[in-house]
Amino acid sequence: MKTRLLPIAFLFISNLAFADCEIALQKRLKEDLNLTYQQFDQTNDAGFRLLEKSGCHGEAAILIKRFIEHNNSKESSLTWHLAQMEGLAGNYQQAIVHAKKILNPNEDLSEFPMYWNDFILGNIAFWSKDKAMLKKHMANIEKGLSFKPNQINFNYLNNLLTNFNSSYLQALSEA
């Protein structure tokens, strides 16, 4: 009898979590579309971050998309966070689509030594389950570890490599 109830209980709990995320999304859609970019994207207690903290990653992606559309936003960090939320929700193909939008075709490391493209491409390699490409992009970033943002991004990608067979969510949770 108990073995039959377990799947039903899990389904019920999953539906409750989905319902909570949907309710939270509807509230955020009413309250957050007119926030400033700073408030929406760069504040830990507002905007999409409230959904992210609740584990509502798919809903956070929806909110970011709506914010971008509503405000005709061009900030690359919004698109990066959209890619991240899609990845955390397990929507890897959508994560890749959004991440590719923010690659810098004119990246000049002599001008600004952050290996941004390698960081983004390392994430794409994880979502594509291409371990060799992930290692390649990490090796490139490793050349610039004297620049603190590269250290942070290298460690981030190293968590993905260390937990390569896990989901993106699990890999980053191990950090």
Side-chain angles (χ1 to χ4, degrees):
M1 184 72 159
K2 285 185 182 179
T3 57
R4 287 186 195 163
L5 291 178
L6 191 57
I8 293 170
F10 179 73
L11 184 61
F12 179 73
I13 291 169
S14 295
N15 285 340
L16 282 178
F18 175 76
D20 288 346
C21 286
E22 183 59 31
I23 290 167
L25 171 61
Q26 293 309 315
K27 181 177 184 190
R28 301 273 53 92
L29 285 169
K30 288 177 186 166
E31 296 179 8
D32 294 353
L33 295 182
N34 291 318
L35 294 175
T36 66
Y37 159 74
Q38 282 294 126
Q39 293 168 321
F40 182 83
D41 188 73
Q42 302 294 307
T43 307
N44 284 328
D45 60 349
F48 83 93
R49 304 225 185 244
L50 293 171
L51 293 171
E52 178 187 19
K53 285 180 185 178
S54 299
C56 302
H57 301 110
E59 290 77 7
I62 292 168
L63 180 62
I64 295 169
K65 281 184 224 174
R66 297 268 179 83
F67 184 86
I68 290 169
E69 291 166 3
H70 181 78
N71 294 287
N72 196 26
S73 298
K74 305 289 185 220
E75 293 86 0
S76 62
S77 65
L78 283 168
T79 304
W80 168 239
H81 291 139
L82 173 55
Q84 280 185 310
M85 292 304 109
E86 292 285 16
L88 290 167
N91 302 325
Y92 295 162
Q93 289 307 311
Q94 282 300 303
I96 291 168
V97 166
H98 296 299
K100 285 181 176 180
K101 293 176 187 174
I102 54 171
L103 290 170
N104 182 356
N106 302 313
E107 185 174 67
D108 183 355
L109 297 172
S110 65
E111 194 175 298
F112 186 67
M114 186 166 140
Y115 287 74
W116 176 252
N117 285 348
D118 284 296
F119 175 66
I120 297 302
L121 291 168
N123 280 273
I124 290 172
F126 180 86
W127 294 323
S128 301
K129 292 302 177 194
D130 188 337
K131 190 182 257 187
M133 285 304 278
L134 176 55
K135 287 180 179 180
K136 175 187 170 214
H137 294 296
M138 288 178 67
N140 288 343
I141 293 172
E142 197 168 23
K143 297 173 196 170
L145 289 183
S146 61
F147 187 59
K148 181 117 176 125
N150 289 328
Q151 292 173 16
I152 294 166
N153 289 345
F154 181 85
N155 291 337
Y156 186 103
L157 292 180
N158 194 48
N159 284 328
L160 297 181
L161 180 61
T162 301
N163 300 289
F164 191 77
N165 293 320
S166 299
S167 69
Y168 191 65
L169 177 63
Q170 291 167 323
L172 294 179
S173 296
E174 299 297 322

